[in-house]
């Protein structure tokens, strides 16, 4: 038997899919009889005579050629000789196809011409091939059918991730080593035993043949056959020819997939833009971004992390298939992307040390590949991270996926930034509303037409007889009428009804006018202690402020009205004012005067005491005594308040006053001096009234000191008193007592004199040591001021002061006789301090042994308080 006969007998085992018994019989008989072949290029002729059939069929050239040949034989266009020449000139692959078709016919196949012509088209491009994985499966089945093997695969080259994978089982991945990897790198067919690298997929003791499929000299896939024995040369040639002839099918199918995906992606991106633009609520936006990104990239899961800079965390309110996730800002793959701002495409998550396997362990999910993309705001700062997990087809994410996710993330970042801004705005608005609600004052915001924009309290509680809705519809001029009378009956009745509630010219018209003025001038205004009349004739004391409402460009577009009800404060102030100064009362109302303790303050203290009040009260009954004291306290207390002092306490018939609390001033010393002088003036006037009533005159002494004291609340929690304590207070009391010794009305210490020097008229009286004090202090008699007309000093008094000063100098030099002459002289004889020093000089002259010596310091030691 010749080689030609042997080949065709072997090929007869593969005949199929041709309903031509007579042709099969003729071919077999022709082959067995060894008739000589015709020297005609049958393949070329068939190709030329079957252009219409070939043009109408878009399947594999190898299959189409066979189908065209069989069609030509059946129609009588081919002679037996031509057909045999075709069989001789056909390649091994073509002969296998022909033999398989004939074999199927011998087995009784009912294949018809139309079925034969469309078999490959149906398998590779039929409706069932809309899924590209079905296409890959059919292509692999073609290899198994042609070579008669049980295991054949198509492996796709993923150049983005440098891996080879089986599209039907994407988890089956190969590296650039082994038989398949070597074929991909060398761009040639490779045959060999399964290596350890490939054994997990193909099994041990297997032989692999890998033939590359090209597109423009680039390997895009490989046809892989696994057998227990190696392929023979003829089978290898068939495999190579199969890959060569079917490359165009794979390219076209992948191009179709690419175009379909591109079209779908454009549609999805347009839909994404629409959906993102219409969503502002942050959680809904997160869900929308995750859903569209997952669908667009055909990912199994997706997560959107938001950057929380305050907490230094990444958070996701919704994560597909898991609960809320919060991770440190620099942790894991998402944290790395958030920190670096660079995308990460990881084909094998478990091989990356940054991947946190704990989440998979907790959820039972298996993460294979990940694509993580930063989302940046307009300033380029990362505000979020999108993370795609596991493509549904099992393949790694490709460069196209990365570019697509980058485009989607850019759109989503704008929407996310707007959403975050909206969220912050809503939070600020809610905070603003909460703050407004917590403010007791009524705040009205008016637009440029004078209509209400916002109000923080029920307007009816403020006597405004309008609902909030009506205030939004009508301008403020309708809320606050300007006059009672009008020619319009409706307005007249309405004005009459609301005259007391929202105002008119005579009641609340000033408020309406203030708003109008703010609208016209754009200037802020403030009115204090405004009496606002309510419907039930109740009056509110309010402070109100009108402020221009301006936009970002500084243009006025409304007015803000703030109305503060101070009625209760006024009542409390009126009550507290009977016990405290206005300053102390205000401090108490503000909560600053309710804690025990004190603070060091520079103050001026005044003590005033009635002389011989015991003897005075013996001539009066109890009621008259009280009336006398109340009149006296009214005069003295009024003088204190006149110059900003506070009446600290009443001590029997004495009054203690303090200047400089709770707020000290540089004029406190002058103020206390003016109060003391005013007390003397008022006492003189009162004594004149008492003389007319036949009552005895009242005399008093005033002592003043300036210095550091402790001011604060003294006592315990249930009973406390605001007062001042310290040496400065005690010294003022001792100086008041010294007025009896020197027979003067007002004595001030050198500290007060030093603080008022040049503003008051005072003469030095003496240098004394009071009881309880070791250091001497100079004391001065306060006589008047240098400028105020009410307290000017007469020339007669100035002469007395000069003569007294000369006598005091002689006294301190222990020249007793000369000093006595001055004190008893015609100028000083009626002067109280001069009389005191005259008695001292007489004592020194009468008892020189006990008199001070020449080195005397001039200090007189007081023996009583």
């Amino acid at each position: 038997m010749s080689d030609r006969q042997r080949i065709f007998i072997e090929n007869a085992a593969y005949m199929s899919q041709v309903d031509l018994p007579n042709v099969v019989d003729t071919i077999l008989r022709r082959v067995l009889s060894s008739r000589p072949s015709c020297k005609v290029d049958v393949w070329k002729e068939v190709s030329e005579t079957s252009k219409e059939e070939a043009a109408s069929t878009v399947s594999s050239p190898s299959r189409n050629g066979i189908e065209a040949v069989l069609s030509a034989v059946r129609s009588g266009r081919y002679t037996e000789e031509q057909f045999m020449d075709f069989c001789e000139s056909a390649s091994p692959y073509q002969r296998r196809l022909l033999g398989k078709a004939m074999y199927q016919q011998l087995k009784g196949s009912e294949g018809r011409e139309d079925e034969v012509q469309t078999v490959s088209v149906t398998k590779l491009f039929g409706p069932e091939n809309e899924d590209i994985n079905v296409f890959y499966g059919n292509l692999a089945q073609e290899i198994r059918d042609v070579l008669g093997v049980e295991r054949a695969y198509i492996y796709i080259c993923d150049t983005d991730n440098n891996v080879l994978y089986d599209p039907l089982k994407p988890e089956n991945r190969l590296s650039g080593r082994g038989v398949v990897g070597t074929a991909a790198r060398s761009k040639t067919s490779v045959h060999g035993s399964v290596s350890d690298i490939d054994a997990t997929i193909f099994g041990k003791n297997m032989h692999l043949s890998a033939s590359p499929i090209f597109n423009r000299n680039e390997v895009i896939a490989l046809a892989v056959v696994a057998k227990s024995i190696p392929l023979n040369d003829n089978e290898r040639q068939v495999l190579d020819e199969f890959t060569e002839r079917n490359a165009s099918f794979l390219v076209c199918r992948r191009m179709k997939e690419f175009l379909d995906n591109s079209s779908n992606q454009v549609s999805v991106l347009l839909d994404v833009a629409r959906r993102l633009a219409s969503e502002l609520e942050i959680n809904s936006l997160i869900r929308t971004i995750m859903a569209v990104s997952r669908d667009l990239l055909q990912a199994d899961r997706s997560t959107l992390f938001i950057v929380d800079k305050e907490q230094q965390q990444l958070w996701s309110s919704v994560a597909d298939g898991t609960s809320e996730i919060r991770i440190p800002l620099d942790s894991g793959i998402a944290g790395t992307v958030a920190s670096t701002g660079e995308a990460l495409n990881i084909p094998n998550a478990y091989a990356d040390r940054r991947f946190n396997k704990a989440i998979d362990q907790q959820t039972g999910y298996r993460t294979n590949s990940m694509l993580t993309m930063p989302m940046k705001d307009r300033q380029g700062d990362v505000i979020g991270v999108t993370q795609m997990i596991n493509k549904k087809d099992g393949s790694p994410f490709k460069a196209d996926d990365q570019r697509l996710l980058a485009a989607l993330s850019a759109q989503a970042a704008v929407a996310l930034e707007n959403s975050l801004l909206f969220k912050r705005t809503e939070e600020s608005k809610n905070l603003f509303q909460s703050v407004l609600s917590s403010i007791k004052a009524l705040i009205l915001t008016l637009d440029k037409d004078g209509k209400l924009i916002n109000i923080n309290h029920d307007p009816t509680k403020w006597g405004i007889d309008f609902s909030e809705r009506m205030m939004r519809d009508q301008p403020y001029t309708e809320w606050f009428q300007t006059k009672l009378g009008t020619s319009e009956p409706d307005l007249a009745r309405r004005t009459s009804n609301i005259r007391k509630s929202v105002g008119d010219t005579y009641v609340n018209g000033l408020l309406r006018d203030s708003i109008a003025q703010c609208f016209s001038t754009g200037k802020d205004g403030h009115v204090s202690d405004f009496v606002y009349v309510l419907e039930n004739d109740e009056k509110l004391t309010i402070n109100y402020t009108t402020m221009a409402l301006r936009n970002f460009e500084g243009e006025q577009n409304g007015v803000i009205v703030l109305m503060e009800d101070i009625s209760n404060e006024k009542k409390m102030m009126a009550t507290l004012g009977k016990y405290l100064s206005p300053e102390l009362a205000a401090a108490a109302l503000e909560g600053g005067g309710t804690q025990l303790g004190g603070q060091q303050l520079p103050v001026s203290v005044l003590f005033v005491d009635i002389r011989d009040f015991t003897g005075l009260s013996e001539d009066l009954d109890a009621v008259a005594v009280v009336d006398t004291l109340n009149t006296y306290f009214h005069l003295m207390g009024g003088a204190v308040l006149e110059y900003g002092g506070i009446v600290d306490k009443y001590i029997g018939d004495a009054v203690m006053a303090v200047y400089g609390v709770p707020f000290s001033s540089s004029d406190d010393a002058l103020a206390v001096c003016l109060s003391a002088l005013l007390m003397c003036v008022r006492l003189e006037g009162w004594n004149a009234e008492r003389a007319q009533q036949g009552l005895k005159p009242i005399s008093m002494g005033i002592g003043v000191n300036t210095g550091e004291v402790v001011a604060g609340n003294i006592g315990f929690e249930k009973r406390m008193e605001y007062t001042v304590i310290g040496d400065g207070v005690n010294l003022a009391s001792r100086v008041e007592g010294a007025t009896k010794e020197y027979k003067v009305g007002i004595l001030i210490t050198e500290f007060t004199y030093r603080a008022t020097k040049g503003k008051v008229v005072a003469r030095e009286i003496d240098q004394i040591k009071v009881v309880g004090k070791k250091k001497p202090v100079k004391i001065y008699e306060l006589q008047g001021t240098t400028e105020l007309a009410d307290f000017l000093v007469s020339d007669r008094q100035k002469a007395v002061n000069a003569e007294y000063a000369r006598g005091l100098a002689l006294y301190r030099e222990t020249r007793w006789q000369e000093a006595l002459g001055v004190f008893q002289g015609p100028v000083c004889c009626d002067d109280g301090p001069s009389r005191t020093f005259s008695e001292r000089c007489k004592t020194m002259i009468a008892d020189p042994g006990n008199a001070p010596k020449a080195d005397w310091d001039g200090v007189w030691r007081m023996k009583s308080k």
Side-chain angles (χ1 to χ4, degrees):
M1 182 181 295
S2 65
D3 292 338
R4 179 179 169 191
Q5 293 171 333
R6 181 178 53 78
I7 292 173
F8 274 91
I9 289 175
E10 291 174 354
N11 289 344
Y14 297 95
M15 298 177 182
S16 65
Q17 298 182 353
V18 180
D19 189 15
L20 296 173
N22 57 329
V23 174
V24 173
D25 181 66
T26 302
I27 290 174
L28 289 176
R29 284 188 287 105
R30 176 67 179 270
V31 171
L32 293 174
S33 63
S34 301
R35 292 181 58 183
S37 62
C38 176
K39 303 299 184 181
V40 180
D41 190 348
V42 181
W43 183 262
K44 179 178 180 182
E45 183 178 341
V46 170
S47 298
E48 291 175 354
T49 59
S50 306
K51 289 182 178 179
E52 292 184 2
E53 290 88 339
S56 64
T57 309
V58 198
S59 59
S60 166
S62 58
R63 279 213 178 268
N64 286 349
I66 298 302
E67 292 161 4
V69 169
L70 296 177
S71 178
V73 172
R74 184 172 51 196
S75 63
R77 294 196 306 273
Y78 265 22
T79 65
E80 180 181 346
E81 196 70 31
Q82 288 175 320
F83 182 73
M84 295 306 298
D85 284 339
F86 161 72
C87 292
E88 276 192 328
S89 62
S91 68
Y93 173 60
Q94 293 167 345
R95 289 198 299 271
R96 281 180 177 272
L97 292 179
L98 178 59
K100 184 174 182 179
M102 296 171 69
Y103 178 77
Q104 292 289 340
Q105 181 59 42
L106 289 174
K107 289 178 62 178
S109 172
E110 297 180 355
R112 293 182 298 273
E113 180 181 3
D114 56 342
E115 293 175 340
V116 174
Q117 289 179 338
T118 60
V119 61
S120 294
V121 178
T122 301
K123 277 192 174 184
L124 300 180
F125 286 92
E128 69 273 14
N129 280 312
E130 288 298 323
D131 186 348
I132 192 169
N133 285 339
V134 175
F135 171 80
Y136 288 135
N138 288 337
L139 201 59
Q141 185 61 44
E142 285 286 305
I143 300 175
R144 289 192 284 271
D145 291 345
V146 169
L147 292 177
V149 296
E150 293 183 0
R151 299 176 64 181
Y153 313 91
I154 299 295
Y155 268 79
I156 305 300
C157 293
D158 183 357
T159 56
D160 295 332
N161 298 297
N162 294 320
V163 295
L164 300 164
Y165 67 94
D166 182 352
L168 302 181
K169 293 184 177 181
E171 66 274 11
N172 290 347
R173 302 180 187 181
L174 301 173
S175 64
R177 294 175 293 174
V179 172
V180 183
T182 303
R185 286 187 291 104
S186 63
K187 298 183 179 181
T188 59
S189 296
V190 177
H191 311 276
S193 300
V194 172
S195 64
D196 293 338
I197 298 174
D198 301 334
T200 56
I201 296 176
F202 301 108
K204 296 182 178 180
N205 303 320
M206 298 294 289
H207 293 270
L208 296 181
S209 292
S211 179
I213 302 175
F214 292 92
N215 177 28
R216 297 182 181 180
N217 202 37
E218 291 295 329
V219 178
I220 60 173
L222 294 103
V224 180
V225 174
K227 289 184 65 177
S228 58
I229 60 174
L231 293 182
N232 58 38
D233 293 341
N234 184 57
E235 289 172 329
R236 293 178 181 180
Q237 185 178 355
V238 170
L239 179 61
D240 290 341
E241 188 171 349
F242 175 88
T243 57
E244 179 182 353
R245 293 183 180 275
N246 285 281
S248 59
F249 283 101
L250 183 57
V251 172
C252 291
R253 191 60 184 83
R254 293 184 65 175
M255 181 61 69
K256 179 178 182 299
E257 180 190 25
F258 173 77
L259 293 176
D260 290 344
N261 288 341
S262 297
S263 177
N264 179 60
Q265 289 168 2
V266 170
S267 300
V268 172
L269 284 175
L270 291 175
D271 181 61
V272 167
R274 177 186 59 79
R275 293 173 64 182
L276 294 183
S278 62
E279 188 62 69
L280 282 176
E281 200 279 319
I282 184 67
N283 290 332
S284 297
L285 180 65
I286 291 175
R287 289 192 291 269
T288 299
I289 294 174
M290 290 166 59
V292 298
S293 59
R294 182 184 59 243
D295 295 342
L296 190 60
L297 273 71
Q298 291 297 297
D300 186 47
R301 290 188 177 183
S302 62
T303 305
L304 171 59
F305 290 102
I306 308 298
V307 174
D308 185 347
K309 292 185 178 179
E310 293 184 0
Q311 299 295 328
Q312 288 295 295
Q313 289 181 332
L314 289 172
W315 67 272
S316 178
S317 63
V318 178
D320 282 1
T322 63
S323 59
E324 178 176 302
I325 295 175
R326 274 191 174 267
I327 61 175
L329 188 57
D330 57 352
S331 174
I333 293 174
T336 301
V337 172
S339 300
T340 63
E342 300 293 334
L344 282 179
N345 187 356
I346 301 174
N348 187 353
Y350 277 74
D352 194 302
R353 59 180 178 80
R354 294 167 295 189
F355 176 67
N356 183 6
K357 304 180 183 67
I359 296 177
D360 275 9
Q361 293 170 355
Q362 293 171 6
T363 61
Y365 186 75
R366 171 74 182 190
T367 301
N368 294 319
S369 59
M370 302 177 70
L371 177 58
T372 310
M373 184 69 60
M375 300 173 66
K376 300 181 180 180
D377 60 15
R378 294 176 179 85
Q379 289 72 41
D381 296 328
V382 177
I383 59 174
V385 172
T386 52
Q387 190 170 76
M388 302 295 107
I389 300 176
N390 293 358
K391 283 185 75 74
K392 288 184 177 180
D393 62 7
S395 65
F397 293 98
K398 303 177 181 61
D400 288 342
D401 296 322
Q402 186 168 332
R403 287 189 290 270
L404 187 59
L405 185 58
L408 174 63
S409 297
Q411 287 189 23
V414 175
L416 181 60
E417 188 175 11
N418 291 337
S419 178
L420 292 174
L421 178 60
F422 175 75
K423 181 183 179 183
R424 288 193 291 268
T425 302
E426 284 293 298
E427 290 174 349
S428 299
K429 178 183 176 182
N430 294 336
L431 176 62
F432 177 69
Q433 291 292 349
S434 299
V435 171
L436 285 182
S437 299
S438 66
I439 296 175
K440 293 182 179 180
L442 181 69
I443 301 177
L444 305 170
T445 307
L446 312 181
D447 63 16
K448 61 181 180 181
D449 297 323
K451 297 178 181 179
L452 181 70
I453 299 175
N454 193 31
I455 188 170
N456 65 328
H457 292 301
D458 182 0
T460 59
K461 294 182 179 179
W462 284 74
I464 300 178
D465 196 22
F466 276 77
S467 67
E468 183 176 338
R469 183 184 61 80
M470 294 176 65
M471 294 174 72
R472 295 183 186 277
D473 295 336
Q474 301 185 40
Y476 72 95
T477 51
E478 296 296 315
W479 317 340
F480 304 102
Q481 298 293 337
T482 57
K483 57 183 179 180
L484 291 173
T486 177
S487 59
E488 301 179 17
D490 290 342
L491 183 59
R493 285 196 299 272
R494 181 177 175 208
T495 305
S496 177
N497 290 337
I498 66 173
R499 178 185 64 81
K500 296 176 181 178
S501 61
V502 292
D504 49 58
T505 301
Y506 311 104
V507 183
N508 297 328
L510 179 62
L511 177 58
R512 191 207 72 89
D513 294 340
S514 296
I515 298 173
Q517 184 177 14
C518 188
F519 267 110
S520 61
T521 65
K523 295 181 179 179
D524 298 347
H526 180 78
V527 174
S528 298
D529 296 337
F530 177 70
V531 178
Y532 187 86
V533 183
L534 301 180
E535 186 175 5
N536 58 1
D537 284 334
E538 181 183 354
K539 295 180 180 180
L540 300 179
T541 303
I542 69 171
N543 295 337
Y544 71 81
T545 302
T546 55
M547 299 171 286
L549 180 64
R550 303 184 184 278
N551 57 23
F552 289 112
E553 288 74 28
E555 299 172 347
Q556 182 176 358
N557 55 9
V559 167
I560 299 174
V561 182
L562 188 149
M563 300 168 61
E564 182 183 7
D565 183 4
I566 60 171
S567 303
N568 292 334
E569 286 80 352
K570 290 289 288 186
K571 294 176 183 177
M572 294 181 68
M573 281 287 291
T575 302
L576 288 173
K578 297 177 182 179
Y579 304 94
L580 303 173
S581 70
E583 292 81 5
L584 274 181
L589 287 176
E590 292 174 2
T594 60
Q595 300 296 321
L596 290 172
Q599 57 180 329
Q600 196 88 3
L601 291 176
V603 300
S604 293
V605 183
L606 176 149
F607 278 88
V608 56
D609 187 21
I610 297 177
R611 292 285 175 262
D612 193 23
F613 181 73
T614 301
L616 179 67
S617 61
E618 287 178 354
D619 298 332
L620 302 173
D621 58 26
V623 174
V625 170
V626 172
D627 288 342
T628 300
L629 282 176
N630 284 339
T631 302
Y632 170 74
F633 289 148
H634 171 74
L635 295 173
M636 300 303 106
V640 172
L641 298 178
E642 184 83 14
Y643 291 101
I646 67 169
V647 177
D648 184 87
K649 61 175 63 72
Y650 298 106
I651 310 171
D653 60 306
V655 178
M656 173 183 169
V658 184
Y659 298 74
V661 291
F663 311 109
S664 61
S665 167
S666 59
D667 294 330
D668 290 336
L670 178 60
V672 72
C673 291
L674 294 176
S675 288
L677 293 171
L678 182 59
M679 287 177 181
C680 292
V681 171
R682 289 184 175 179
L683 179 63
E684 185 178 351
W686 186 36
N687 280 333
E689 294 177 4
R690 288 176 61 82
Q692 294 177 0
Q693 298 172 3
L695 299 174
K696 295 180 180 179
I698 293 176
S699 62
M700 65 181 183
I702 300 173
V704 175
N705 179 47
T706 299
E708 292 280 338
V709 300
V710 176
N713 289 319
I714 306 298
F716 67 106
E717 288 78 3
K718 295 185 181 297
R719 178 67 174 91
M720 62 182 67
E721 180 183 60
Y722 189 91
T723 187
V724 293
I725 58 175
D727 286 343
V729 178
N730 296 333
L731 182 57
S733 177
R734 300 292 185 269
V735 171
E736 182 274 321
T739 58
K740 303 173 186 177
E741 173 78 14
Y742 296 98
K743 303 176 180 62
V744 293
I746 307 171
L747 283 177
I748 64 175
T749 65
E750 61 180 282
F751 310 112
T752 303
Y753 177 75
R754 193 180 303 143
T756 58
K757 191 174 183 179
K759 299 176 182 179
V760 299
V761 175
R763 62 170 169 170
E764 182 180 351
I765 296 298
D766 200 356
Q767 187 174 15
I768 63 175
K769 280 186 180 181
V770 300
V771 176
K773 295 285 290 182
K774 295 181 179 180
K775 292 184 178 180
V777 59
K778 290 182 179 180
I779 56 175
Y780 296 77
E781 179 194 9
L782 177 65
Q783 297 175 338
T785 64
T786 57
E787 297 180 357
L788 294 179
D790 293 340
F791 306 125
L792 294 177
V793 178
S794 65
D795 292 337
R796 164 66 183 165
Q797 183 62 51
K798 291 179 181 179
V800 172
N801 292 347
E803 188 68 5
Y804 177 81
R806 188 170 69 87
L808 182 60
L810 293 171
Y811 169 80
R812 288 175 173 170
E813 293 174 359
T814 67
R815 296 161 65 180
W816 314 119
Q817 195 65 47
E818 297 176 59
L820 180 60
V822 174
F823 290 136
Q824 290 182 336
V827 177
C828 296
C829 60
D830 295 329
D831 181 47
S834 296
R835 291 198 299 272
T836 297
F837 277 90
S838 294
E839 293 300 321
R840 287 183 186 177
C841 289
K842 291 177 181 178
T843 300
M844 305 301 180
I845 294 171
D847 188 7
N850 292 321
K853 302 297 185 259
D855 59 349
W856 178 46
D857 59 6
V859 175
W860 182 260
R861 290 163 177 79
M862 302 292 293
K863 293 181 173 55
S864 65
K865 296 181 179 181

